[in-house]
Structure formats: structure tokens, C-alpha cells
Amino acid sequence: MNVNQSVPPVPPFGQPQPIYPGYHQSSYGGQSGSTAPAIPYGAYNGPVPGYQQTPPQGMSRAPPSSGAPPASTAQAPCGQAAYGQFGQGDVQNGPSSTVQMQRLPGSQPFGSPLAPVGNQPAVLQPYGPPLTTAQVTTQLSGMQISGAVAPAPPSSGLGYGPPTSLASASGSFPNSGLYGSYPQGQAPPLSQAQGHPGIQTPQRSAPSQASSFTPPASGGPRLPSMTGPLLPGQSFGGPSVSQPNHVSSPPPQALPPGTQMSGPLGPLPPMHSPQQPGYQPQQNGSFGPARGPQPNYGSPYPAAPTFGSQPGPPQPLPPKRLDPDAIPSPQLSELPPQQKTRHRIDPDAIPSPIQVIEDDRNNRGTEPFVTGVRGQVPPLVTTNFLVKDQGNASPRYIRCTSYNIPCTSDMAKQAQVPLAAVIKPLARLPPEEASPYVVDHGESGPLRCNRCKAYMCPFMQFVEGGRRFQCCFCSCINDVPPQYFQHLDHTGKRVDAYDRPELSLGSYEFLATVDYCKNNKFPSPPAFIFMIDVSYNAIRTGLVRLLCEELKSLLDFLPREGGAEESAIRVGFVTYNKVLHFYNVKSSLAQPQMMVVSDVADMFVPLLDGFLVNVNESRAVISSLLDQIPEMFADTRETETVFVPVIQAGMEALKAAECAGKLFLFHTSLPIAEAPGKLKNRDDRKLINTDKEKTLFQPQTGAYQTLAKECVAQGCCVDLFLFPNQYVDVATLSVVPQLTGGSVYKYACFQVENDQERFLSDLRRDVQKVVGFDAVMRVRTSTGIRAVDFFGAFYMSNTTDVELAGLDGDKTVTVEFKHDDRLNEDSGALLQCALLYTSCAGQRRLRIHNLALNCCTQLADLYRNCETDTLINYMAKFAYRGVLNSPVKAVRDTLVTQCAQILACYRKNCASPSSAGQLILPECMKLLPVYLNCVLKSDVLQPGAEVTTDDRAYVRQLVTSMDVAETNVFFYPRLLPLTKSPIESTTEPPAVRASEERLSNGDIYLLENGLNLFLWVGASIQQGVVQSLFSVSSFSQITSGLGVLPVLDNPLSKKVRGLIDSLRAQRSRYMKLIVVKQEDKLEMLFKHFLVEDKSLSGGASYVDFLCHMHKEIRQLLS
Ligand SMILES: [Zn+2]
């Protein structure tokens, strides 16, 4: 089969094919005889009836027919000897200093209804009518943007001035979403109310083929910045005659694909010329708050002649790279007065993420993405679209940095565009899309190439009348086994091609035979072990009681396979402080029994029978245990905990039971008790920006990696829920979850009343989500390229196999490819990702994803088919791994250099000749600078003063497994104005750019980045809005830091709360709401996420970074 041909529509796989028994799927899913194949994961993708309505606590359960009544309270359940080992009398150490930890004030009682979490489809907007021009955006178009770019004049305090007296603000912040605590007295300079001009993004009127940087036709005086070709209906925002800079620009017509921006960096306005006809004084605020001196890039930009044709005095050679940290920040007072009148680029004239996202939604969100054609660039992750699998894997499973890759390694090296795929093998699909079909080839197992072991796929070529097939990966000719033989039609295609998923679809599963199982034995169903810290901190905060209460109901919603009535997963329970307590919850017992293991140095599992049980069979005993645990430890004084022995115990228990599984650890403190893996507090912020900073990200001891390796061998995945009051060394504690494919959740300064909604939502989703256990992933490629590097939460013991003790539907593995030979334009390049795993019912399966890419001999084809969001995902992961080994500054420099090389190569090889003063960006990469800047100034690479070492390690770990949609919103948050759109509108309001100057003080905004959620209230908000949303009569009465909106019966309240719920449902973690008032001290927290602005930690603004990038490119080209 020619992979380039488009596959005809696939008929439904409904017709039973008696010859191929596996195809009906009658053996699983409980749909025997049904003509419609069962969806293996239907139970997880669909809603769980009834559960979401369950109140967070107190769900009572009918007692089983056998078993004792639940024990009431503190009655000791088992022998006094055992109990006494950890009883109060033995406690030597009283409450530690952690007890006196500063507590952040709780702001509001927990009160809003629980948002449904977990099984929500990620699709919010309805799919519109089909549009026939969906691919139009892949056509590049020329555009040219000009505008005077120069550092802004020091403004009169419109938000970028020097710190004002507001720095005296004091008090502590409420317990915030991601970052639990913030130092006091570090309030940023706050902008003044009148500094919010209320600029909205320009109306989207221009067709996408043309310049998308059209400044708004109206909207006050703007920099006359555009010289691109005029389209009907377009107009420019200012008189271009007043732009002397544009004279040097070449005529804009017949531009090559790409985005040209000149002026800003190009021919600069005469720096010291007092008369600048094109630039009006900005005191009217129309351009938003003007910026003060930009310390990071302060020294190069004043040197106007560096940038363009402007004659000037000889300049010293600029440094090879600007180092934001090395350049002293010029104080306002030190600047020569002339520089204070310099002008800034018009933010509307530089590529807007919002515009790109909206254009893609409009152009590609209305008709399904059909995967039959090789090398198609899918819609953006921010666009809602349906996928029809016609031979290539859905972009929900695989996204690539480019869908057209260079034929030779020389070309690839020249372009410096990383060739990578972000793979999410078990991605959840929206309900409209079917999960992969499961194919059963019986005892013979899946058909594979004898040489390279690739699995049968639509790209394999059948020859010799169907008796042989040629491997599309290695070209080996293989015999077709007799039972798989089928005739070919006149085109050489098997006549049963469309009846077989593995011959017609991009994604499908095979049932694995015993050959694919450990020790040649089919696996047992996996087990979940809940391991609960019952030290003083865990008890005191109410965590243990909350958790035990929740587990009583949550255990009924363990993952199930297909139509199974109950989950096959067995459960076990351990509690611990500096010793471990195992529980026998065998169904025949009247009461649970506890066994204590105090020899943590040599961990063993004291019981086998009765430790891992079926929930239904042991319901009464489990329920009794969960009632008793909070009571048993209610008076504990034990503050010390162990950690490694706990995981060791869980892993040993799984080993003894000969099954894979998952440990859920609920842990509160730095494990300082004497035991393997004992840690010390080594937090040292003084290491930041030194060569030793990397040690903050490295584990303290090797014990954790050793343990992780053992866990992977056992298929023991670890999910870690942390509830720290202070430093717990996330960098070390997260090693095992990271290497076993698990997740880490962190709730700093946990308080039940403030944080239970977030914790319980995360817990429910985590326990219920589909997981593959004991998994191995291999990515095969056609000759010419191969997978060389991998990023994600997994372990590798060789260079090709990604080992995952567990893999859930949220986790991605990013794979980088390099050439090892020449690729061929005709045959393209193929990827096949094969994931071998054990399902939650204990079935061994192979999930296969195939993707065909184009190959090119022209660099322009590469740049035309790139996906910036995926590039950023790769680059962030690359950088976040780099900080383990290199100084953070070196990592940032590497990113900047690579980005400049990518763009310089485009300019040199793909763009038509134009003035050197123009910045020309490929259409597909026009957001690369803004997004890269967000990565550079993220907490891991450039932390602010309020970011703790644990926060950085936590985020670093999270990003490692993120998919493209998650990294996109994490690095460039969504900012949604709430009162602009009609109240009856049910769709999400269009976002605005993440910059303070986009905020109107008469509006309210939601900001989310996948982890944090803010509601920002402008100081001039209408009283009616305040009343409708907060049930108070004025802005001043709104409680800053509020965590829940009151439930009010009016349209606005319903709309905003509904929007919050829907934002939460789109994300894999619960986002806790924080209400922020304009001018309030909490606003600093919020402004951290306005990523187009200069950050307090020294991160460049978008405009400045673009200037910097342009300079880097020009240096490479000169
Ligand atoms: Zn092969």
C-alpha cells in the first residue's frame, strides 16, 4: 500500500467475520453476540452513574449480609500487644516544631457543590456545521508587520515603574492553589487603577491567509505599524506617513510564506530625536501601561544603530547573548532623559496567541479531522474537533513537532527543529469517538515482522497474491500465516482490509498471548494499596478522617473493564508513622486485625492471606477499619515518619501476591525517622543562580532510585499525595512516582475546610482513572530515523524500551528522533508505538498507534508543517530535564540559541530577500518566541521569590508528563473576560492576551493554567455585577482570597460558576479558585500569570523577548 494514498472511508466494523473470532470481542466487555464491538474502556470514559452526585462525606453503605456490625469508636480492634507498640505510651517525642508552623489564614468555609471531576469529556463547545476549508490555515501566507520597536519610555507609573510604596503591604496570603505559602511583605509594585485602559484584542476581521497582525481599525491612536498587503476591509491603525522607519522596508507584495515584522527591531526610530511624528505620547493609556526601562535588555536596545539602518556612533560589539542576570538594571534615574521618551512596539502588531487560537478554531473546529492522509498537520490542541481514524493515529494519541521531516540529517541539523512526537498511548477520548478496537488473533498472537518485530498495520504491503507481506519499517518480506491469508483486490489491497482494524486503522489493540507475559504466566488482576500517614500532622489537620470517610464510598468505583459488574482490583491497607501497620481485612473476620512491623530497616509483609481483598467480599471489615483508623490514632504524638520502607512494603506485598498494582501514598512530612531513605532538610535558596542549583532538583540519596527500579520490575506504580507544612524534599520523594509512571499531588498547608474539595476531586479521579500496569512501550520507525531520546515518567534499563510500572490516560511520553540514514520523499517516514500492558482486569494487551509522516528535501516544507505547541512541549521537557545536570542559566541559553537557530535558518533559506531589519517568522512558528519566553521565565527556570524549592521540583515533575494541551495552557494561561459576552451565551468567552494592559478595571476575568484558577475583579466593576456574583453591595466588601463563589440564583452567578466547573472539567487536576481584587496585595500572585508582561523575577516581557530574539537571529545571519 502506498502510504501516501488516502484511505477510503472505513465501514463500520459491525459485520461479524466468523473466520476471525477475535474480532467480535465477545470474550470481553460482556456484549456477547452484539454486532457492535464493545468499547473496552467504555466504563471509564463514560460517566459513572450516580457517583458524581455523591456528597463528599457520609455516604453510608448497606452492611453486607455477613460480618460484624461496624465497630463504633475507639475500641481497640485487635490485640493489645500489637496496639501497644504504637500507643501513646510509647511516644517519646512530643509535637515538633512543625506544629507551630505558621498557618495561613483560611478564608472561607467550604461550601460550593462539588464539581464533577474525572469522567468529563474534554469537549465543551458544540461541533458546528462542517466547513470545507478547514485546512486553509496550513497554507502559509505572507505578512509583514512593521512598527517602531524600542524600549518604552518610563511611564508615569502605569504598572512598570519602580516599586512603589506598596511594598509595605503585609500579611499572609491565603492558602493558594499550587503554591501554598508566600513570604510576607513582598508585595510587588502595584499598578494604579487608571493604568488599565481596557484594551481588548482587536476584532478578528482579517482572513487567515493574510496578515493576522492587523491592528484594530479603531480603538484610539495606535502605532501605525502595519505595512502588509491590505485586504478588503482592512485598514491600518495610523497614518503610515508618520512612520519614517518604513521607508526602508521592501514592498510588501508577494511575500513568501511567513510573517514579517519590521521596524520594531529593524530600522529604529532615531533614538535621540525629540520629534517622533508617528508616536504620540502615551499618557492617554491607549496602548496600555507604557513600560519603564527594561532591565534585562536594557543595555543592547538603547544602541539603536545595532538594529538597523539608523546611522549612529560606533557601538561596542554587543554580547553574544543577552544575559538577563548579567546586565545591571538601569535605574530610572540613571537613564539619560532622551531614553525616557523612547517608544515601544505596539503589542497588537506582534503575533497574538489568542488570534492564532481563534483562527484555528474558526477554520478547523467545524469539521472532523480525518487521518487518512499522510503528513497532515492536525488542528491545534486548543481547537475542539472530532477525529476520524482512517489509518493514522489520532492527534489525541500522537502529536509531532513537524509532520514533514527533512530527508537528511544535514537538513535536520541545519534547521535545528527538534523532531519529536508527544505520545499519549492511553489518552481518554471524547464520548463521540470510539476507543480502539481489540483484535484477537488467538493462540498465534499478533502478526509481526520477523525481522524488526513491527506489528501488522495498514502500511504493510501484501505481495504475491497475498501470501507474503513486505514490512513497511524494515522492508523484510514475511510469509503470511495460512490462517491470516486473504486475497488481494485489483489494487493489491486485501479484500478484508476494512474488516480488520489492524489493516485499516491508525490505532487498535491486540490481545497478547502468554508469550507476552512475565514468567510466561497470564497476570493476576492488579491491586491497589492505600498507605496512610497517621503521624501527628496527618491526624491534626483532619486528613486521616477525611480520607478514611471518602475511601468507604470511593472503593466502589475502582476501574472496571467494559461491562464488568465489579472491579477485579483487590485492595489493601497500611498505616504508618515511623512504624508500619498492616491490616488483615479478610471477609471472614468480624473485625480487622492489625499487625505492626517496627523493623523498618528490613521490611517484610507480615501477612499474605487477608491483606489484599475484594471490596465487595470484605466490605464490612474494610468499613470497620476505615471507621477505626482515625480513632485509633486520634491521640498520637508521633511526628516522625518513614517513607522508603512504606513503598518497599507495598511493593513486597504485590510481589507476594504475584500481581502488579498501584500504591496510593498519603504523606505529610520529611521522612526523618531512622530508616532507609531517611532525609535531611537541605533546602537552600542561596543555591539559586549558582552552579549548584541543580542539586535542588536531584534526589538526596540513591535509595529512592534503587527502590524505584525494584518497583518497576514488579509493576508497582506509586501515586503520592503530599500534605506538607514545610519543606519535604519533593525532588527526592517524587523519584519513585516519577520512575514508576505515577503521579504526585501536593497540597501545601492542607486544611480540611479549605482544601478538601481539591484533594477529594483529585483523589476520586486518580483512583478511578484507567491505568495500564506493568507496561513496556517501544517506538519503531521506518529506516532512516530512530527514536533516540525519551521524556516522561518512566524507567529505562536499555536504550529502546520505555518501562512503565503504570501508565494512565493523562501521561505522555515525548520521544525524540534522529536520522540514521536518508529518508525517502515517496515512502515518507513511519512511526509505530506499541504499548504492552496489563489492563485493570488483568488482561495482557498490546495497544498499537501508527503514524505516517511526510519527508521533504526543501526546508520550506518542514517549516510549513510544524506545530509550535508540540515544539514547546518538547523544549520545556528538554529544559526541565536539563536543570538536573546543568546550571539553569545555561539551560535557558540553550533554549534561546536553539530557537534563534530555527528562526534564522528559516529566514536564510525560506524567506524571500528582505531588509535585514525585518523579523520574519514562519507562519506555523510565529508564536514560538512568545511561548518560549513563557518557558524561560517559568518557575523552574527563573523562580520568583515566592516560589519554594519544593514548588519548583513539583512543577518540574508535573511538566515531564504533560501532554501538548496541558503545556500550552500551563505556559500561556487562559484569561477570559466574563462580562463582555452576552449573559445568555453558553460558549466560553473569547480569551484575551495574558497581559495587564488587557485588563479592564470595569470587568472581571477568569485566569487558568491547568493548575491555578483566579477570578480577578476590576476596581471599577459595576455594583450590580458585584451583587450578582458575591452577594455583597460593593467592591470593597468582596473578600480577597475568597475560595468559593456563593451559590446565587441569578444568570450571571450561574454562568460564572458554570464556566468555572467547565474549566475544571477540562483539566486533569482540580483547580482551586482564588478571588483576586485589583490593587489588592494578592494581585501579585495573579500577575505572575500575566506572561506577556515582564515578571518580577526578571523574566522578559513578550515585546522585549521578541526584540532579543530578533537580535540573536540577526547575529546568526550576519
Ligand atoms: Zn520489519
Side-chain angles (χ1 to χ4, degrees):
M1 174 192 290
N2 180 352
V3 293
N4 204 15
Q5 81 189 52
S6 80
V7 183
V10 181
F13 292 98
Q15 308 84 344
Q17 300 283 326
I19 297 177
Y20 309 111
Y23 190 53
H24 311 264
Q25 311 198 0
S26 55
S27 56
Y28 31 81
Q31 305 226 359
S32 181
S34 161
T35 52
I39 298 171
Y41 290 114
Y44 316 133
N45 287 331
V48 177
Y51 182 60
Q52 301 300 349
Q53 286 78 41
T54 305
Q57 297 190 7
M59 183 181 189
S60 63
R61 209 142 276 296
S65 52
S66 68
S72 53
T73 54
Q75 178 186 9
C78 33
Q80 281 302 320
Y83 189 81
Q85 289 189 33
F86 60 90
Q88 308 166 31
D90 286 347
V91 175
Q92 299 302 317
N93 41 352
S96 77
S97 60
T98 57
V99 178
Q100 282 91 39
M101 271 294 293
Q102 165 211 350
R103 298 310 308 248
L104 299 177
S107 50
Q108 288 295 313
F110 167 74
S112 81
L114 285 176
V117 174
N119 293 307
Q120 301 298 315
V123 180
L124 271 189
Q125 298 184 351
Y127 295 103
L131 183 76
T132 53
T133 56
Q135 277 97 36
V136 74
T137 49
T138 60
Q139 303 306 315
L140 297 190
S141 58
M143 64 186 70
Q144 173 177 355
I145 302 298
S146 311
V149 170
S155 75
S156 52
L158 290 182
Y160 291 89
T164 69
S165 61
L166 281 161
S168 64
S170 63
S172 58
F173 298 122
N175 195 354
S176 63
L178 173 56
Y179 306 133
S181 63
Y182 293 86
Q184 302 188 2
Q186 297 205 12
L190 292 183
S191 63
Q192 297 172 5
Q194 63 270 29
H196 298 281
I199 288 187
Q200 300 298 314
T201 45
Q203 294 306 304
R204 297 178 298 278
S205 57
S208 64
Q209 299 94 322
S211 51
S212 36
F213 304 158
T214 318
S218 62
R222 293 205 171 268
L223 292 180
S225 56
M226 179 101 181
T227 61
L230 271 176
L231 290 166
Q234 267 185 328
S235 66
F236 291 147
S240 59
V241 288
S242 63
Q243 279 278 37
N245 308 319
H246 290 184
V247 175
S248 64
S249 295
Q253 62 270 24
L255 287 174
T259 298
Q260 296 190 1
M261 288 183 293
S262 76
L265 297 170
L268 274 190
M271 276 299 175
H272 304 283
S273 144
Q275 72 284 7
Q276 284 285 326
Y279 307 100
Q280 301 303 317
Q282 299 186 8
Q283 65 267 40
N284 61 4
S286 291
F287 300 104
R291 289 150 207 258
Q294 305 289 328
N296 291 332
Y297 301 107
S299 69
Y301 297 129
T306 311
F307 293 113
S309 57
Q310 194 62 37
Q315 291 293 317
L317 219 62
K320 169 85 179 118
R321 174 160 309 100
L322 288 177
D323 173 13
D325 301 312
I327 299 170
S329 304
Q331 295 302 307
L332 195 61
S333 57
E334 294 169 4
L335 288 175
Q338 294 94 327
Q339 291 193 13
K340 294 185 179 178
T341 60
R342 279 182 293 129
H343 300 284
R344 50 173 303 202
I345 190 171
D346 178 1
D348 285 332
I350 56 179
S352 158
I354 304 304
Q355 188 68 54
V356 171
I357 288 170
E358 284 295 316
D359 288 346
D360 195 71
R361 277 187 184 155
N362 294 333
N363 293 324
R364 307 202 61 185
T366 47
E367 69 177 24
F369 178 70
V370 180
T371 70
V373 180
R374 184 177 82 183
Q376 276 187 107
V377 182
L380 297 181
V381 286
T382 41
T383 298
N384 290 317
F385 59 98
L386 276 178
V387 180
K388 280 193 181 159
D389 184 343
Q390 291 194 359
N392 283 293
S394 160
R396 301 189 208 287
Y397 295 123
I398 308 182
R399 279 187 176 264
C400 294
T401 53
S402 178
Y403 290 80
N404 198 330
I405 59 182
C407 278
T408 66
S409 67
D410 284 349
M411 264 176 84
K413 278 178 195 149
Q414 197 183 354
Q416 286 286 317
V417 176
L419 304 176
V422 180
I423 308 178
K424 200 178 187 183
L426 298 179
R428 293 181 309 147
L429 303 178
E432 299 88 343
E433 294 174 19
S435 293
Y437 293 93
V438 182
V439 180
D440 185 358
H441 283 330
E443 286 183 4
S444 61
L447 191 52
R448 307 174 69 172
C449 168
N450 286 326
R451 184 197 287 164
C452 73
K453 304 295 178 191
Y455 293 86
M456 180 52 65
C457 73
F459 307 125
M460 297 287 188
Q461 185 86 49
F462 286 86
V463 295
E464 296 181 30
R467 288 187 299 277
R468 294 211 162 96
F469 71 93
Q470 180 169 26
C471 175
C472 51
F473 295 92
C474 72
S475 303
C476 175
I477 306 278
N478 296 274
D479 288 337
V480 173
Q483 72 275 16
Y484 199 73
F485 174 80
Q486 185 54 269
H487 293 288
L488 308 183
D489 68 14
H490 66 283
T491 66
K493 183 188 281 290
R494 280 174 62 122
V495 298
D496 64 347
Y498 295 114
D499 299 326
R500 288 184 173 274
E502 76 275 19
L503 297 181
S504 54
L505 295 180
S507 300
Y508 44 87
E509 294 201 329
F510 289 115
L511 275 194
T513 60
V514 75
D515 297 339
Y516 293 84
C517 302
K518 207 178 267 177
N519 304 324
N520 277 344
K521 252 173 73 179
F522 279 114
S524 309
F528 283 0
I529 304 178
F530 296 90
M531 317 188 87
I532 306 168
D533 179 346
V534 290
S535 65
Y536 178 81
N537 278 327
I539 296 290
R540 184 189 46 114
T541 56
L543 167 67
V544 173
R545 186 173 299 277
L546 177 73
L547 173 60
C548 289
E549 194 61 38
E550 175 65 21
L551 284 180
K552 282 196 272 183
S553 50
L554 185 55
L555 292 178
D556 282 329
F557 299 94
L558 301 179
R560 280 173 295 166
E561 196 99 277
E565 279 190 13
E566 65 172 31
S567 173
I569 292 172
R570 290 169 296 163
V571 298
F573 302 89
V574 171
T575 57
Y576 67 95
N577 37 50
K578 61 192 223 186
V579 297
L580 275 73
H581 326 113
F582 293 78
Y583 296 93
N584 186 339
V585 283
K586 200 172 173 178
S587 59
S588 57
L589 292 175
Q591 283 291 314
Q593 291 175 350
M594 170 194 276
M595 293 176 151
V596 177
V597 174
S598 49
D599 182 9
V600 291
D602 185 20
M603 186 47 59
F604 68 100
V605 181
L607 77 164
L608 297 179
D609 187 35
F611 179 65
L612 294 176
V613 297
N614 174 292
V615 173
N616 281 335
E617 288 169 7
S618 292
R619 182 177 303 283
V621 195
I622 291 173
S623 188
S624 169
L625 172 68
L626 293 171
D627 280 336
Q628 291 176 48
I629 286 174
E631 308 301 336
M632 284 192 290
F633 300 97
D635 300 320
T636 187
R637 294 273 146 201
E638 182 58 71
T639 58
E640 292 191 359
T641 56
V642 295
F643 189 84
V644 161
V646 182
I647 295 177
Q648 182 97 32
M651 189 262 295
E652 295 288 348
L654 295 178
K655 193 186 277 179
E658 296 183 333
C659 68
K662 195 163 170 177
L663 312 183
F664 297 81
L665 243 75
F666 305 89
H667 189 82
T668 58
S669 58
L670 194 68
I672 55 171
E674 202 54 54
K678 173 185 175 180
L679 298 180
K680 57 181 191 294
N681 187 333
R682 49 142 190 182
D683 188 15
D684 186 0
R685 293 185 61 87
K686 288 197 293 295
L687 297 182
I688 292 175
N689 288 325
T690 71
D691 283 353
K692 288 187 177 161
E693 185 171 3
K694 61 190 176 193
T695 60
L696 296 176
F697 299 110
Q698 295 167 347
Q700 244 183 80
T701 107
Y704 289 76
Q705 275 133 322
T706 308
L707 175 64
K709 215 166 138 181
E710 292 177 47
C711 287
V712 171
Q714 185 52 43
C716 170
C717 173
V718 178
D719 280 358
L720 176 61
F721 293 78
L722 285 170
F723 306 86
N725 281 334
Q726 56 187 356
Y727 179 73
V728 290
D729 200 344
V730 172
T732 304
L733 295 189
S734 64
V735 164
V736 180
Q738 174 77 16
L739 292 178
T740 61
S743 305
V744 179
Y745 300 84
K746 183 157 93 62
Y747 309 89
C749 300
F750 179 84
Q751 287 181 302
V752 166
E753 58 271 28
N754 292 329
D755 302 305
Q756 74 166 1
E757 187 174 356
R758 181 159 79 102
F759 165 54
L760 293 180
S761 298
D762 288 343
L763 176 65
R764 287 170 190 154
R765 191 176 189 281
D766 195 69
V767 168
Q768 293 181 72
K769 68 186 171 189
V770 57
V771 189
F773 293 96
D774 207 3
V776 182
M777 185 181 116
R778 170 76 83 87
V779 179
R780 291 181 175 81
T781 49
S782 48
T783 309
I785 53 165
R786 63 194 167 88
V788 293
D789 207 351
F790 303 84
F791 304 81
F794 53 73
Y795 178 78
M796 290 184 80
S797 55
N798 58 42
T799 56
T800 53
D801 294 326
V802 176
E803 298 173 45
L804 302 124
L807 175 68
D808 63 51
D810 297 326
K811 299 281 192 314
T812 62
V813 176
T814 294
V815 184
E816 186 184 7
F817 303 95
K818 288 249 160 68
H819 288 75
D820 57 6
D821 203 348
R822 199 188 157 81
L823 289 163
N824 186 311
E825 266 186 300
D826 292 335
S827 49
L830 299 176
L831 313 180
Q832 183 178 76
C833 166
L835 177 80
L836 174 65
Y837 71 100
T838 300
S839 77
C840 57
Q843 201 172 50
R844 202 68 174 151
R845 289 187 184 162
L846 280 152
R847 181 170 286 203
I848 312 294
H849 297 297
N850 302 290
L851 186 64
L853 302 173
N854 285 328
C855 297
C856 59
T857 54
Q858 299 297 317
L859 282 167
D861 290 329
L862 164 69
Y863 283 98
R864 208 173 296 154
N865 291 281
C866 279
E867 201 194 37
T868 296
D869 294 335
T870 309
L871 270 173
I872 289 293
N873 180 283
Y874 166 84
M875 292 174 107
K877 289 175 181 176
F878 179 83
Y880 279 22
R881 186 175 69 186
V883 299
L884 286 172
N885 302 308
S886 308
V888 170
K889 180 183 167 311
V891 171
R892 288 201 305 260
D893 289 349
T894 303
L895 285 187
V896 171
T897 304
Q898 185 172 21
C899 181
Q901 284 172 334
I902 291 170
L903 298 175
C905 176
Y906 174 81
R907 173 66 185 258
K908 191 174 170 189
N909 297 288
C910 309
S912 66
S914 56
S915 148
Q918 287 183 316
L919 172 60
I920 303 181
L921 303 172
E923 174 68 16
C924 286
M925 290 187 187
K926 65 185 178 187
L927 298 181
L928 190 59
V930 59
Y931 285 164
L932 185 72
N933 188 37
C934 296
V935 175
L936 291 171
K937 61 203 247 185
S938 62
D939 291 339
V940 172
L941 298 184
Q942 195 161 15
E946 80 287 3
V947 181
T948 67
T949 301
D950 273 347
D951 288 335
R952 297 177 75 198
Y954 178 64
V955 167
R956 196 190 74 80
Q957 190 273 139
L958 275 180
V959 167
T960 303
S961 294
M962 280 186 180
D963 68 15
V964 179
E966 286 172 321
T967 49
N968 176 265
V969 77
F970 177 73
F971 289 110
Y972 192 95
R974 260 201 301 182
L975 181 60
L976 305 172
L978 294 186
T979 62
K980 291 284 187 287
S981 56
I983 195 121
E984 60 278 3
S985 164
T986 53
T987 55
E988 279 175 26
V992 297
R993 293 167 65 171
S995 168
E996 184 172 358
E997 63 194 40
R998 308 287 167 176
L999 297 172
S1000 156
N1001 58 9
D1003 203 351
I1004 49 177
Y1005 297 82
L1006 275 173
L1007 181 145
E1008 67 111 357
N1009 74 342
L1011 295 176
N1012 304 82
L1013 180 63
F1014 293 94
L1015 183 71
W1016 183 89
V1017 188
S1020 305
I1021 187 72
Q1022 283 176 21
Q1023 197 183 335
V1025 172
V1026 173
Q1027 187 70 44
S1028 298
L1029 270 188
F1030 300 98
S1031 195
V1032 295
S1033 53
S1034 71
F1035 175 79
S1036 63
Q1037 289 177 300
I1038 299 171
T1039 309
S1040 176
L1042 193 67
V1044 269
L1045 293 179
V1047 179
L1048 302 172
D1049 187 18
N1050 65 68
L1052 183 64
S1053 176
K1054 284 179 187 165
K1055 178 180 172 177
V1056 173
R1057 286 182 289 114
L1059 185 57
I1060 289 172
D1061 287 346
S1062 105
L1063 293 179
R1064 283 174 175 159
Q1066 294 170 46
R1067 304 296 171 204
S1068 60
R1069 289 170 184 243
Y1070 183 88
M1071 297 183 289
K1072 185 174 152 184
L1073 179 72
I1074 300 178
V1075 173
V1076 173
K1077 293 164 70 176
Q1078 188 178 8
E1079 304 281 327
D1080 186 84
K1081 61 180 184 290
L1082 259 185
E1083 206 186 16
M1084 176 185 84
L1085 209 54
F1086 172 78
K1087 285 182 180 171
H1088 180 69
F1089 298 93
L1090 299 177
V1091 289
E1092 287 200 22
D1093 298 340
K1094 184 169 147 45
S1095 69
L1096 288 171
S1097 55
S1101 70
Y1102 176 19
V1103 170
D1104 289 343
F1105 184 71
L1106 198 60
C1107 294
H1108 178 50
M1109 188 52 66
H1110 188 211
K1111 187 165 166 294
E1112 293 279 313
I1113 294 167
R1114 293 192 59 186
Q1115 281 188 357
L1116 288 172
L1117 292 174
S1118 62

